[in-house]
């Protein structure tokens, strides 16, 4: 047998193995990218509701899904770290803190958008979310109800009861 025959045998034996490994590699890369896209879409969709469970979960998944060895993805992780540090800080007044929080969050989303191939500018990210006032009002009412119920259950507040249709026998 000559060299061409040996190369043919090698190609026939290794070709399917290489094809399967390449397919698996491409599928893994696609899955990794899809997980990053899900994080980005969740954060974009909930950017007006930064206290929602899905928003917080998406933030906490950044460290898991973005690669510190990739230059652009490392910028996302660094932006997340800076945002995370601010979220745990209480060194400034609430107006300054909230303004800085929005700026850092927009920066984080902008870096994620660049990595994932989305063409959003910072102004769009900051100003294009929709949050009806009724959602904020409902959340405030729910918070007040929970707080009031806890005060009753802890004995700090009594439930006022009146019977307007019963006439008093005392005169």
């Amino acid at each position: 047998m000559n060299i061409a025959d040996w190369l043919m045998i090698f190609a026939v034996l290794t070709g399917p193995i290489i094809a399967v490994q390449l397919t698996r590699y491409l599928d893994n890369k696609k899955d990794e990218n899809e997980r990053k896209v899900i994080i980005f879409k969740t954060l974009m969709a909930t950017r007006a509701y930064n206290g929602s469970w899905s928003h917080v979960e998406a933030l906490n998944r950044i460290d898991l899904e973005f690669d510190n060895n990739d230059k652009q993805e490392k910028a996302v992780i660094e932006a997340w770290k800076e945002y995370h540090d601010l979220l745990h800080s209480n060194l400034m007044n609430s107006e300054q803190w909230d303004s800085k929080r929005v700026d850092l969050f927009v920066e984080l989303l902008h870096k994620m958008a660049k990595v994932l191939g989305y063409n959003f500018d910072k102004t769009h990210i900051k100003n294009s979310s929709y949050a009806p006032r009724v959602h904020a009002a409902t959340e405030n009412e729910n918070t007040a109800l929970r707080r009031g119920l806890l005060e009753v259950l802890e004995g700090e507040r009594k439930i006022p009861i009146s019977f307007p249709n019963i006439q008093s026998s005392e005169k």
Side-chain angles (χ1 to χ4, degrees), residues 43 55-63 80 83 87 105 108:
L43 292 175
H55 184 89
V56 173
E57 180 183 338
L59 286 172
N60 286 321
R61 290 180 57 212
I62 291 171
D63 289 333
W80 161 231
Y83 182 57
L87 294 176
F105 184 63
L108 171 62

Side-chain angles (χ1 to χ4, degrees), residues 67-107:
D67 186 1
N68 214 7
N69 295 320
D70 179 278
K71 185 178 179 181
Q72 282 188 312
E73 291 188 19
K74 184 175 183 166
V76 170
I77 293 171
E78 293 303 318
W80 161 231
K81 286 179 182 177
E82 190 174 359
Y83 182 57
H84 183 266
D85 286 346
L86 178 74
L87 294 176
H88 291 286
S89 171
N90 58 0
L91 301 177
M92 55 185 85
N93 71 41
S94 63
E95 281 185 26
Q96 290 174 322
W97 184 89
D98 197 50
S99 176
K100 179 106 172 151
R101 183 196 64 75
V102 169
D103 290 342
L104 290 177
F105 184 63
V106 167
E107 184 66 28

Side-chain angles (χ1 to χ4, degrees), residues 113-126:
K114 284 178 22 181
V115 165
L116 299 170
Y118 288 94
N119 190 22
F120 293 123
D121 60 50
K122 292 180 183 180
T123 303
H124 176 80
I125 293 170
K126 184 176 182 178

Side-chain angles (χ1 to χ4, degrees), residues 18-30:
I18 292 171
V20 167
Q21 292 301 320
L22 182 59
T23 301
R24 290 180 75 188
Y25 173 79
L26 293 174
D27 287 345
N28 286 342
K29 283 293 184 191
K30 182 180 172 187

